[in-house]
């Protein structure tokens, strides 16, 4: 009986492939890590539109480095239309999940770029 269960588990793993859902129904960190790493490759090759797409996939799947890097792209207008409000949202999302680079960049937006809380809220960021 144990052998039958083991074989069934192996078959299910092979059929599902790399896509495994976690408790919230989102793709596993393996897939988001892969998307993030592919995004890095495209970004380094200056293929910003592809990098943005992969960083978004990583971010939506819970990879906060993907959120941070997508925020950088929105702040600079690389591969996406420049949108400081969207950048702030992404930095905040990363920061709230423990990504210190996201916290740093959100702080920079508050100080260096002279953005007030009111202005960020008007830009659709939830602060």
């Amino acid at each position: 009986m144990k052998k039958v269960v083991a074989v069934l588990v192996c078959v299910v793993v092979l059929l599902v492939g790399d896509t495994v859902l976690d408790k919230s129904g989102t793709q596993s960190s393996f897939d988001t890590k892969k998307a993030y790493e592919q995004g890095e490759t495209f970004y380094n090759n200056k293929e910003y539109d592809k990098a943005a797409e992969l960083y978004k996939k990583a971010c939506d799947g819970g990879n906060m480095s993907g959120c941070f890097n997508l925020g950088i792209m929105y702040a600079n207008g690389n591969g996406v239309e420049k949108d400081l409000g969207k950048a702030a949202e992404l930095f905040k999302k990363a920061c709230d999940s423990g990504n210190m680079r996201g916290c740093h960049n959100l702080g920079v937006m508050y100080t260096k770029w002279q953005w007030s809380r009111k202005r960020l809220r008007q830009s659709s960021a939830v602060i």
Side-chain angles (χ1 to χ4, degrees):
M1 183 66 169
K2 289 181 182 179
K3 289 181 181 180
V4 172
V5 171
V7 169
L8 287 174
V9 169
C10 289
V11 169
V12 168
V13 169
L14 289 173
L15 290 175
V16 172
D18 291 339
T19 304
V20 178
L21 300 182
D22 65 15
K23 292 177 185 174
S24 66
T26 59
Q27 289 187 352
S28 72
S29 61
F30 176 79
D31 287 334
T32 60
K33 181 180 179 184
K34 188 174 179 180
Y36 171 78
E37 290 170 352
Q38 289 173 343
E40 288 280 277
T41 300
F42 283 116
Y43 187 88
N44 291 334
N45 291 329
K46 298 186 185 331
E47 296 181 61
Y48 298 126
D49 54 336
K50 292 177 183 176
E53 182 180 319
L54 288 162
Y55 285 151
K56 181 174 182 351
K57 180 179 178 182
C59 180
D60 290 346
N63 184 304
M64 293 303 112
S65 292
C67 296
F68 171 80
N69 285 5
L70 188 57
I72 293 288
M73 295 184 78
Y74 273 102
N76 296 324
N78 292 338
V80 294
E81 187 173 335
K82 186 173 183 173
D83 184 340
L84 297 178
K86 183 67 176 171
E89 285 179 30
L90 291 162
F91 293 148
K92 182 170 185 340
K93 181 177 181 178
C95 179
D96 288 347
S97 294
N99 181 295
M100 293 299 108
R101 296 180 306 158
C103 299
H104 170 80
N105 280 18
L106 189 59
V108 168
M109 290 183 81
Y110 281 140
T111 56
K112 186 176 179 181
W113 293 342
Q114 302 295 313
W115 276 55
S116 68
R117 284 181 168 263
K118 181 179 176 183
R119 178 118 186 241
L120 284 171
R121 276 193 208 108
Q122 291 170 347
S123 298
S124 76
V126 180
I127 302 290

PDB file of all heavy atoms in Angstrom, residues 74-76 82-91 105-127:
ATOM      1  N   TYR A  74       9.763  51.617 -12.368  1.00  0.00           N
ATOM      2  CA  TYR A  74       8.747  52.676 -12.430  1.00  0.00           C
ATOM      3  C   TYR A  74       9.345  54.033 -12.045  1.00  0.00           C
ATOM      4  O   TYR A  74       8.981  55.057 -12.618  1.00  0.00           O
ATOM      5  CB  TYR A  74       7.556  52.354 -11.524  1.00  0.00           C
ATOM      6  CG  TYR A  74       6.516  51.510 -12.215  1.00  0.00           C
ATOM      7  CD1 TYR A  74       6.428  50.149 -11.970  1.00  0.00           C
ATOM      8  CD2 TYR A  74       5.625  52.072 -13.125  1.00  0.00           C
ATOM      9  CE1 TYR A  74       5.474  49.365 -12.608  1.00  0.00           C
ATOM     10  CE2 TYR A  74       4.671  51.303 -13.772  1.00  0.00           C
ATOM     11  CZ  TYR A  74       4.600  49.951 -13.507  1.00  0.00           C
ATOM     12  OH  TYR A  74       3.662  49.179 -14.149  1.00  0.00           O
ATOM     13  N   ALA A  75      10.248  54.051 -11.096  1.00  0.00           N
ATOM     14  CA  ALA A  75      10.873  55.315 -10.679  1.00  0.00           C
ATOM     15  C   ALA A  75      11.709  55.916 -11.804  1.00  0.00           C
ATOM     16  O   ALA A  75      11.766  57.138 -11.961  1.00  0.00           O
ATOM     17  CB  ALA A  75      11.739  55.085  -9.438  1.00  0.00           C
ATOM     18  N   ASN A  76      12.341  55.057 -12.599  1.00  0.00           N
ATOM     19  CA  ASN A  76      13.222  55.534 -13.668  1.00  0.00           C
ATOM     20  C   ASN A  76      12.578  55.539 -15.048  1.00  0.00           C
ATOM     21  O   ASN A  76      13.158  56.072 -15.991  1.00  0.00           O
ATOM     22  CB  ASN A  76      14.493  54.684 -13.703  1.00  0.00           C
ATOM     23  CG  ASN A  76      15.305  54.832 -12.447  1.00  0.00           C
ATOM     24  OD1 ASN A  76      15.377  55.910 -11.864  1.00  0.00           O
ATOM     25  ND2 ASN A  76      15.904  53.750 -12.001  1.00  0.00           N
ATOM     26  N   LYS A  82       7.107  56.044 -16.597  1.00  0.00           N
ATOM     27  CA  LYS A  82       7.551  56.556 -15.303  1.00  0.00           C
ATOM     28  C   LYS A  82       6.338  56.918 -14.457  1.00  0.00           C
ATOM     29  O   LYS A  82       5.459  57.662 -14.895  1.00  0.00           O
ATOM     30  CB  LYS A  82       8.457  57.773 -15.491  1.00  0.00           C
ATOM     31  CG  LYS A  82       9.076  58.264 -14.211  1.00  0.00           C
ATOM     32  CD  LYS A  82      10.095  59.353 -14.478  1.00  0.00           C
ATOM     33  CE  LYS A  82      10.754  59.783 -13.187  1.00  0.00           C
ATOM     34  NZ  LYS A  82      11.852  60.723 -13.440  1.00  0.00           N
ATOM     35  N   ASP A  83       6.282  56.380 -13.245  1.00  0.00           N
ATOM     36  CA  ASP A  83       5.153  56.614 -12.343  1.00  0.00           C
ATOM     37  C   ASP A  83       5.678  56.504 -10.913  1.00  0.00           C
ATOM     38  O   ASP A  83       5.843  55.408 -10.376  1.00  0.00           O
ATOM     39  CB  ASP A  83       4.056  55.586 -12.611  1.00  0.00           C
ATOM     40  CG  ASP A  83       2.802  55.803 -11.775  1.00  0.00           C
ATOM     41  OD1 ASP A  83       2.866  56.489 -10.734  1.00  0.00           O
ATOM     42  OD2 ASP A  83       1.751  55.256 -12.169  1.00  0.00           O
ATOM     43  N   LEU A  84       5.963  57.662 -10.305  1.00  0.00           N
ATOM     44  CA  LEU A  84       6.531  57.665  -8.959  1.00  0.00           C
ATOM     45  C   LEU A  84       5.546  57.139  -7.923  1.00  0.00           C
ATOM     46  O   LEU A  84       5.955  56.544  -6.921  1.00  0.00           O
ATOM     47  CB  LEU A  84       7.023  59.064  -8.602  1.00  0.00           C
ATOM     48  CG  LEU A  84       8.159  59.591  -9.478  1.00  0.00           C
ATOM     49  CD1 LEU A  84       8.548  61.006  -9.061  1.00  0.00           C
ATOM     50  CD2 LEU A  84       9.364  58.670  -9.440  1.00  0.00           C
ATOM     51  N   GLY A  85       4.265  57.338  -8.145  1.00  0.00           N
ATOM     52  CA  GLY A  85       3.257  56.798  -7.240  1.00  0.00           C
ATOM     53  C   GLY A  85       3.275  55.280  -7.238  1.00  0.00           C
ATOM     54  O   GLY A  85       3.221  54.640  -6.181  1.00  0.00           O
ATOM     55  N   LYS A  86       3.356  54.683  -8.417  1.00  0.00           N
ATOM     56  CA  LYS A  86       3.423  53.228  -8.522  1.00  0.00           C
ATOM     57  C   LYS A  86       4.734  52.725  -7.919  1.00  0.00           C
ATOM     58  O   LYS A  86       4.749  51.692  -7.238  1.00  0.00           O
ATOM     59  CB  LYS A  86       3.305  52.800 -10.001  1.00  0.00           C
ATOM     60  CG  LYS A  86       3.292  51.321 -10.214  1.00  0.00           C
ATOM     61  CD  LYS A  86       2.033  50.674  -9.656  1.00  0.00           C
ATOM     62  CE  LYS A  86       2.012  49.198  -9.984  1.00  0.00           C
ATOM     63  NZ  LYS A  86       0.943  48.492  -9.291  1.00  0.00           N
ATOM     64  N   ALA A  87       5.816  53.452  -8.150  1.00  0.00           N
ATOM     65  CA  ALA A  87       7.095  53.071  -7.542  1.00  0.00           C
ATOM     66  C   ALA A  87       6.964  53.054  -6.023  1.00  0.00           C
ATOM     67  O   ALA A  87       7.420  52.111  -5.362  1.00  0.00           O
ATOM     68  CB  ALA A  87       8.199  54.039  -7.990  1.00  0.00           C
ATOM     69  N   ALA A  88       6.332  54.083  -5.460  1.00  0.00           N
ATOM     70  CA  ALA A  88       6.147  54.153  -4.002  1.00  0.00           C
ATOM     71  C   ALA A  88       5.309  52.976  -3.506  1.00  0.00           C
ATOM     72  O   ALA A  88       5.615  52.390  -2.462  1.00  0.00           O
ATOM     73  CB  ALA A  88       5.490  55.473  -3.618  1.00  0.00           C
ATOM     74  N   GLU A  89       4.260  52.609  -4.231  1.00  0.00           N
ATOM     75  CA  GLU A  89       3.436  51.453  -3.847  1.00  0.00           C
ATOM     76  C   GLU A  89       4.284  50.191  -3.776  1.00  0.00           C
ATOM     77  O   GLU A  89       4.166  49.403  -2.830  1.00  0.00           O
ATOM     78  CB  GLU A  89       2.330  51.209  -4.870  1.00  0.00           C
ATOM     79  CG  GLU A  89       1.182  52.161  -4.820  1.00  0.00           C
ATOM     80  CD  GLU A  89       0.145  51.836  -5.893  1.00  0.00           C
ATOM     81  OE1 GLU A  89       0.007  50.645  -6.264  1.00  0.00           O
ATOM     82  OE2 GLU A  89      -0.527  52.762  -6.345  1.00  0.00           O
ATOM     83  N   LEU A  90       5.113  49.993  -4.790  1.00  0.00           N
ATOM     84  CA  LEU A  90       5.937  48.792  -4.847  1.00  0.00           C
ATOM     85  C   LEU A  90       7.006  48.790  -3.759  1.00  0.00           C
ATOM     86  O   LEU A  90       7.263  47.762  -3.128  1.00  0.00           O
ATOM     87  CB  LEU A  90       6.555  48.640  -6.236  1.00  0.00           C
ATOM     88  CG  LEU A  90       5.529  48.302  -7.322  1.00  0.00           C
ATOM     89  CD1 LEU A  90       6.090  48.597  -8.705  1.00  0.00           C
ATOM     90  CD2 LEU A  90       5.085  46.850  -7.209  1.00  0.00           C
ATOM     91  N   PHE A  91       7.618  49.941  -3.507  1.00  0.00           N
ATOM     92  CA  PHE A  91       8.600  50.035  -2.425  1.00  0.00           C
ATOM     93  C   PHE A  91       7.930  49.765  -1.080  1.00  0.00           C
ATOM     94  O   PHE A  91       8.486  49.084  -0.223  1.00  0.00           O
ATOM     95  CB  PHE A  91       9.286  51.403  -2.400  1.00  0.00           C
ATOM     96  CG  PHE A  91      10.163  51.678  -3.596  1.00  0.00           C
ATOM     97  CD1 PHE A  91      10.305  52.975  -4.066  1.00  0.00           C
ATOM     98  CD2 PHE A  91      10.841  50.665  -4.252  1.00  0.00           C
ATOM     99  CE1 PHE A  91      11.114  53.253  -5.155  1.00  0.00           C
ATOM    100  CE2 PHE A  91      11.654  50.929  -5.350  1.00  0.00           C
ATOM    101  CZ  PHE A  91      11.789  52.232  -5.798  1.00  0.00           C
ATOM    102  N   ASN A 105      14.266  53.012  -0.168  1.00  0.00           N
ATOM    103  CA  ASN A 105      13.834  53.822  -1.311  1.00  0.00           C
ATOM    104  C   ASN A 105      12.558  54.599  -1.011  1.00  0.00           C
ATOM    105  O   ASN A 105      12.391  55.715  -1.501  1.00  0.00           O
ATOM    106  CB  ASN A 105      13.667  52.951  -2.551  1.00  0.00           C
ATOM    107  CG  ASN A 105      14.987  52.674  -3.218  1.00  0.00           C
ATOM    108  OD1 ASN A 105      16.042  52.837  -2.611  1.00  0.00           O
ATOM    109  ND2 ASN A 105      14.956  52.252  -4.463  1.00  0.00           N
ATOM    110  N   LEU A 106      11.673  54.033  -0.220  1.00  0.00           N
ATOM    111  CA  LEU A 106      10.477  54.777   0.178  1.00  0.00           C
ATOM    112  C   LEU A 106      10.890  55.988   1.012  1.00  0.00           C
ATOM    113  O   LEU A 106      10.373  57.093   0.818  1.00  0.00           O
ATOM    114  CB  LEU A 106       9.530  53.868   0.959  1.00  0.00           C
ATOM    115  CG  LEU A 106       8.151  54.429   1.256  1.00  0.00           C
ATOM    116  CD1 LEU A 106       7.403  54.796  -0.020  1.00  0.00           C
ATOM    117  CD2 LEU A 106       7.350  53.416   2.063  1.00  0.00           C
ATOM    118  N   GLY A 107      11.866  55.794   1.897  1.00  0.00           N
ATOM    119  CA  GLY A 107      12.381  56.915   2.684  1.00  0.00           C
ATOM    120  C   GLY A 107      13.021  57.981   1.815  1.00  0.00           C
ATOM    121  O   GLY A 107      12.851  59.182   2.048  1.00  0.00           O
ATOM    122  N   VAL A 108      13.735  57.550   0.801  1.00  0.00           N
ATOM    123  CA  VAL A 108      14.346  58.498  -0.133  1.00  0.00           C
ATOM    124  C   VAL A 108      13.266  59.312  -0.830  1.00  0.00           C
ATOM    125  O   VAL A 108      13.405  60.525  -1.007  1.00  0.00           O
ATOM    126  CB  VAL A 108      15.244  57.769  -1.162  1.00  0.00           C
ATOM    127  CG1 VAL A 108      15.650  58.684  -2.304  1.00  0.00           C
ATOM    128  CG2 VAL A 108      16.474  57.198  -0.472  1.00  0.00           C
ATOM    129  N   MET A 109      12.176  58.646  -1.189  1.00  0.00           N
ATOM    130  CA  MET A 109      11.082  59.372  -1.850  1.00  0.00           C
ATOM    131  C   MET A 109      10.502  60.431  -0.920  1.00  0.00           C
ATOM    132  O   MET A 109      10.159  61.525  -1.357  1.00  0.00           O
ATOM    133  CB  MET A 109       9.989  58.410  -2.310  1.00  0.00           C
ATOM    134  CG  MET A 109      10.424  57.525  -3.462  1.00  0.00           C
ATOM    135  SD  MET A 109       9.114  56.452  -4.052  1.00  0.00           S
ATOM    136  CE  MET A 109       8.240  57.625  -5.106  1.00  0.00           C
ATOM    137  N   TYR A 110      10.402  60.106   0.362  1.00  0.00           N
ATOM    138  CA  TYR A 110       9.869  61.068   1.327  1.00  0.00           C
ATOM    139  C   TYR A 110      10.795  62.271   1.491  1.00  0.00           C
ATOM    140  O   TYR A 110      10.340  63.387   1.679  1.00  0.00           O
ATOM    141  CB  TYR A 110       9.684  60.431   2.704  1.00  0.00           C
ATOM    142  CG  TYR A 110       8.449  59.580   2.846  1.00  0.00           C
ATOM    143  CD1 TYR A 110       8.506  58.389   3.554  1.00  0.00           C
ATOM    144  CD2 TYR A 110       7.235  59.953   2.307  1.00  0.00           C
ATOM    145  CE1 TYR A 110       7.383  57.589   3.719  1.00  0.00           C
ATOM    146  CE2 TYR A 110       6.119  59.164   2.456  1.00  0.00           C
ATOM    147  CZ  TYR A 110       6.194  57.990   3.163  1.00  0.00           C
ATOM    148  OH  TYR A 110       5.085  57.207   3.321  1.00  0.00           O
ATOM    149  N   THR A 111      12.084  62.046   1.449  1.00  0.00           N
ATOM    150  CA  THR A 111      13.017  63.129   1.745  1.00  0.00           C
ATOM    151  C   THR A 111      13.596  63.772   0.490  1.00  0.00           C
ATOM    152  O   THR A 111      13.334  64.942   0.219  1.00  0.00           O
ATOM    153  CB  THR A 111      14.160  62.613   2.639  1.00  0.00           C
ATOM    154  OG1 THR A 111      14.801  61.516   2.015  1.00  0.00           O
ATOM    155  CG2 THR A 111      13.636  62.185   3.987  1.00  0.00           C
ATOM    156  N   LYS A 112      14.375  63.039  -0.266  1.00  0.00           N
ATOM    157  CA  LYS A 112      15.081  63.616  -1.406  1.00  0.00           C
ATOM    158  C   LYS A 112      14.137  64.142  -2.472  1.00  0.00           C
ATOM    159  O   LYS A 112      14.365  65.202  -3.049  1.00  0.00           O
ATOM    160  CB  LYS A 112      16.020  62.572  -2.004  1.00  0.00           C
ATOM    161  CG  LYS A 112      16.907  63.102  -3.110  1.00  0.00           C
ATOM    162  CD  LYS A 112      17.872  62.040  -3.587  1.00  0.00           C
ATOM    163  CE  LYS A 112      18.742  62.578  -4.699  1.00  0.00           C
ATOM    164  NZ  LYS A 112      19.671  61.570  -5.196  1.00  0.00           N
ATOM    165  N   TRP A 113      13.099  63.393  -2.759  1.00  0.00           N
ATOM    166  CA  TRP A 113      12.170  63.820  -3.798  1.00  0.00           C
ATOM    167  C   TRP A 113      11.086  64.751  -3.265  1.00  0.00           C
ATOM    168  O   TRP A 113      10.239  65.206  -4.002  1.00  0.00           O
ATOM    169  CB  TRP A 113      11.534  62.621  -4.488  1.00  0.00           C
ATOM    170  CG  TRP A 113      12.500  61.811  -5.282  1.00  0.00           C
ATOM    171  CD1 TRP A 113      13.736  62.188  -5.714  1.00  0.00           C
ATOM    172  CD2 TRP A 113      12.318  60.482  -5.741  1.00  0.00           C
ATOM    173  NE1 TRP A 113      14.335  61.175  -6.412  1.00  0.00           N
ATOM    174  CE2 TRP A 113      13.485  60.119  -6.449  1.00  0.00           C
ATOM    175  CE3 TRP A 113      11.283  59.565  -5.628  1.00  0.00           C
ATOM    176  CZ2 TRP A 113      13.636  58.880  -7.034  1.00  0.00           C
ATOM    177  CZ3 TRP A 113      11.441  58.323  -6.218  1.00  0.00           C
ATOM    178  CH2 TRP A 113      12.610  57.993  -6.910  1.00  0.00           C
ATOM    179  N   GLN A 114      11.119  64.993  -1.958  1.00  0.00           N
ATOM    180  CA  GLN A 114      10.199  65.943  -1.332  1.00  0.00           C
ATOM    181  C   GLN A 114       8.733  65.574  -1.538  1.00  0.00           C
ATOM    182  O   GLN A 114       7.888  66.436  -1.757  1.00  0.00           O
ATOM    183  CB  GLN A 114      10.459  67.376  -1.838  1.00  0.00           C
ATOM    184  CG  GLN A 114      11.857  67.886  -1.619  1.00  0.00           C
ATOM    185  CD  GLN A 114      12.185  68.027  -0.145  1.00  0.00           C
ATOM    186  OE1 GLN A 114      11.406  68.571   0.609  1.00  0.00           O
ATOM    187  NE2 GLN A 114      13.331  67.505   0.257  1.00  0.00           N
ATOM    188  N   TRP A 115       8.420  64.312  -1.446  1.00  0.00           N
ATOM    189  CA  TRP A 115       7.030  63.868  -1.591  1.00  0.00           C
ATOM    190  C   TRP A 115       6.388  63.824  -0.220  1.00  0.00           C
ATOM    191  O   TRP A 115       6.916  63.224   0.693  1.00  0.00           O
ATOM    192  CB  TRP A 115       6.982  62.469  -2.215  1.00  0.00           C
ATOM    193  CG  TRP A 115       7.052  62.507  -3.696  1.00  0.00           C
ATOM    194  CD1 TRP A 115       7.997  63.099  -4.458  1.00  0.00           C
ATOM    195  CD2 TRP A 115       6.130  61.924  -4.599  1.00  0.00           C
ATOM    196  NE1 TRP A 115       7.734  62.913  -5.776  1.00  0.00           N
ATOM    197  CE2 TRP A 115       6.597  62.191  -5.879  1.00  0.00           C
ATOM    198  CE3 TRP A 115       4.960  61.188  -4.436  1.00  0.00           C
ATOM    199  CZ2 TRP A 115       5.929  61.765  -7.022  1.00  0.00           C
ATOM    200  CZ3 TRP A 115       4.304  60.751  -5.559  1.00  0.00           C
ATOM    201  CH2 TRP A 115       4.781  61.048  -6.831  1.00  0.00           C
ATOM    202  N   SER A 116       5.245  64.431  -0.102  1.00  0.00           N
ATOM    203  CA  SER A 116       4.517  64.380   1.161  1.00  0.00           C
ATOM    204  C   SER A 116       3.584  63.171   1.163  1.00  0.00           C
ATOM    205  O   SER A 116       3.288  62.598   0.113  1.00  0.00           O
ATOM    206  CB  SER A 116       3.697  65.656   1.354  1.00  0.00           C
ATOM    207  OG  SER A 116       2.644  65.691   0.408  1.00  0.00           O
ATOM    208  N   ARG A 117       3.097  62.796   2.338  1.00  0.00           N
ATOM    209  CA  ARG A 117       2.129  61.692   2.427  1.00  0.00           C
ATOM    210  C   ARG A 117       0.896  61.997   1.577  1.00  0.00           C
ATOM    211  O   ARG A 117       0.387  61.132   0.887  1.00  0.00           O
ATOM    212  CB  ARG A 117       1.704  61.456   3.871  1.00  0.00           C
ATOM    213  CG  ARG A 117       2.722  60.762   4.697  1.00  0.00           C
ATOM    214  CD  ARG A 117       2.174  60.570   6.120  1.00  0.00           C
ATOM    215  NE  ARG A 117       3.018  59.665   6.844  1.00  0.00           N
ATOM    216  CZ  ARG A 117       2.773  58.371   6.979  1.00  0.00           C
ATOM    217  NH1 ARG A 117       1.695  57.845   6.470  1.00  0.00           N
ATOM    218  NH2 ARG A 117       3.595  57.604   7.647  1.00  0.00           N
ATOM    219  N   LYS A 118       0.452  63.232   1.610  1.00  0.00           N
ATOM    220  CA  LYS A 118      -0.737  63.607   0.848  1.00  0.00           C
ATOM    221  C   LYS A 118      -0.513  63.390  -0.644  1.00  0.00           C
ATOM    222  O   LYS A 118      -1.350  62.823  -1.342  1.00  0.00           O
ATOM    223  CB  LYS A 118      -1.092  65.069   1.129  1.00  0.00           C
ATOM    224  CG  LYS A 118      -2.320  65.556   0.408  1.00  0.00           C
ATOM    225  CD  LYS A 118      -2.616  67.009   0.763  1.00  0.00           C
ATOM    226  CE  LYS A 118      -3.799  67.523  -0.026  1.00  0.00           C
ATOM    227  NZ  LYS A 118      -4.042  68.937   0.244  1.00  0.00           N
ATOM    228  N   ARG A 119       0.627  63.799  -1.142  1.00  0.00           N
ATOM    229  CA  ARG A 119       0.917  63.647  -2.571  1.00  0.00           C
ATOM    230  C   ARG A 119       1.017  62.172  -2.965  1.00  0.00           C
ATOM    231  O   ARG A 119       0.545  61.767  -4.013  1.00  0.00           O
ATOM    232  CB  ARG A 119       2.213  64.373  -2.914  1.00  0.00           C
ATOM    233  CG  ARG A 119       2.618  64.237  -4.365  1.00  0.00           C
ATOM    234  CD  ARG A 119       2.650  65.567  -5.056  1.00  0.00           C
ATOM    235  NE  ARG A 119       2.909  65.395  -6.457  1.00  0.00           N
ATOM    236  CZ  ARG A 119       3.960  65.884  -7.094  1.00  0.00           C
ATOM    237  NH1 ARG A 119       4.835  66.606  -6.444  1.00  0.00           N
ATOM    238  NH2 ARG A 119       4.101  65.691  -8.379  1.00  0.00           N
ATOM    239  N   LEU A 120       1.629  61.373  -2.099  1.00  0.00           N
ATOM    240  CA  LEU A 120       1.722  59.947  -2.391  1.00  0.00           C
ATOM    241  C   LEU A 120       0.342  59.299  -2.412  1.00  0.00           C
ATOM    242  O   LEU A 120       0.058  58.468  -3.263  1.00  0.00           O
ATOM    243  CB  LEU A 120       2.619  59.245  -1.377  1.00  0.00           C
ATOM    244  CG  LEU A 120       4.111  59.464  -1.579  1.00  0.00           C
ATOM    245  CD1 LEU A 120       4.886  58.909  -0.393  1.00  0.00           C
ATOM    246  CD2 LEU A 120       4.586  58.821  -2.855  1.00  0.00           C
ATOM    247  N   ARG A 121      -0.523  59.691  -1.481  1.00  0.00           N
ATOM    248  CA  ARG A 121      -1.887  59.142  -1.477  1.00  0.00           C
ATOM    249  C   ARG A 121      -2.608  59.517  -2.750  1.00  0.00           C
ATOM    250  O   ARG A 121      -3.344  58.711  -3.329  1.00  0.00           O
ATOM    251  CB  ARG A 121      -2.658  59.661  -0.253  1.00  0.00           C
ATOM    252  CG  ARG A 121      -2.396  58.858   0.971  1.00  0.00           C
ATOM    253  CD  ARG A 121      -3.400  59.177   2.066  1.00  0.00           C
ATOM    254  NE  ARG A 121      -2.777  58.926   3.338  1.00  0.00           N
ATOM    255  CZ  ARG A 121      -2.384  59.843   4.196  1.00  0.00           C
ATOM    256  NH1 ARG A 121      -2.607  61.116   3.961  1.00  0.00           N
ATOM    257  NH2 ARG A 121      -1.813  59.509   5.312  1.00  0.00           N
ATOM    258  N   GLN A 122      -2.433  60.723  -3.220  1.00  0.00           N
ATOM    259  CA  GLN A 122      -3.087  61.159  -4.450  1.00  0.00           C
ATOM    260  C   GLN A 122      -2.556  60.397  -5.651  1.00  0.00           C
ATOM    261  O   GLN A 122      -3.222  60.289  -6.659  1.00  0.00           O
ATOM    262  CB  GLN A 122      -2.877  62.671  -4.663  1.00  0.00           C
ATOM    263  CG  GLN A 122      -3.615  63.527  -3.671  1.00  0.00           C
ATOM    264  CD  GLN A 122      -3.213  64.985  -3.747  1.00  0.00           C
ATOM    265  OE1 GLN A 122      -2.224  65.356  -4.375  1.00  0.00           O
ATOM    266  NE2 GLN A 122      -4.004  65.846  -3.097  1.00  0.00           N
ATOM    267  N   SER A 123      -1.358  59.858  -5.534  1.00  0.00           N
ATOM    268  CA  SER A 123      -0.771  59.089  -6.622  1.00  0.00           C
ATOM    269  C   SER A 123      -1.139  57.619  -6.534  1.00  0.00           C
ATOM    270  O   SER A 123      -0.546  56.798  -7.194  1.00  0.00           O
ATOM    271  CB  SER A 123       0.749  59.220  -6.582  1.00  0.00           C
ATOM    272  OG  SER A 123       1.119  60.550  -6.767  1.00  0.00           O
ATOM    273  N   SER A 124      -2.075  57.294  -5.693  1.00  0.00           N
ATOM    274  CA  SER A 124      -2.665  55.956  -5.514  1.00  0.00           C
ATOM    275  C   SER A 124      -1.839  55.040  -4.631  1.00  0.00           C
ATOM    276  O   SER A 124      -2.179  53.886  -4.474  1.00  0.00           O
ATOM    277  CB  SER A 124      -2.936  55.270  -6.860  1.00  0.00           C
ATOM    278  OG  SER A 124      -1.743  54.781  -7.423  1.00  0.00           O
ATOM    279  N   ALA A 125      -0.753  55.539  -4.053  1.00  0.00           N
ATOM    280  CA  ALA A 125       0.000  54.706  -3.108  1.00  0.00           C
ATOM    281  C   ALA A 125      -0.765  54.647  -1.803  1.00  0.00           C
ATOM    282  O   ALA A 125      -1.344  55.637  -1.362  1.00  0.00           O
ATOM    283  CB  ALA A 125       1.389  55.293  -2.889  1.00  0.00           C
ATOM    284  N   VAL A 126      -0.770  53.519  -1.168  1.00  0.00           N
ATOM    285  CA  VAL A 126      -1.435  53.362   0.118  1.00  0.00           C
ATOM    286  C   VAL A 126      -0.361  53.408   1.183  1.00  0.00           C
ATOM    287  O   VAL A 126       0.357  52.453   1.399  1.00  0.00           O
ATOM    288  CB  VAL A 126      -2.206  52.022   0.192  1.00  0.00           C
ATOM    289  CG1 VAL A 126      -2.891  51.878   1.526  1.00  0.00           C
ATOM    290  CG2 VAL A 126      -3.195  51.941  -0.955  1.00  0.00           C
ATOM    291  N   ILE A 127      -0.248  54.553   1.824  1.00  0.00           N
ATOM    292  CA  ILE A 127       0.802  54.751   2.834  1.00  0.00           C
ATOM    293  C   ILE A 127       0.176  54.744   4.209  1.00  0.00           C
ATOM    294  O   ILE A 127      -0.819  55.272   4.459  1.00  0.00           O
ATOM    295  CB  ILE A 127       1.548  56.082   2.600  1.00  0.00           C
ATOM    296  CG1 ILE A 127       2.148  56.119   1.218  1.00  0.00           C
ATOM    297  CG2 ILE A 127       2.584  56.299   3.673  1.00  0.00           C
ATOM    298  CD1 ILE A 127       3.312  55.196   0.974  1.00  0.00           C
TER     299      ILE A 127
END
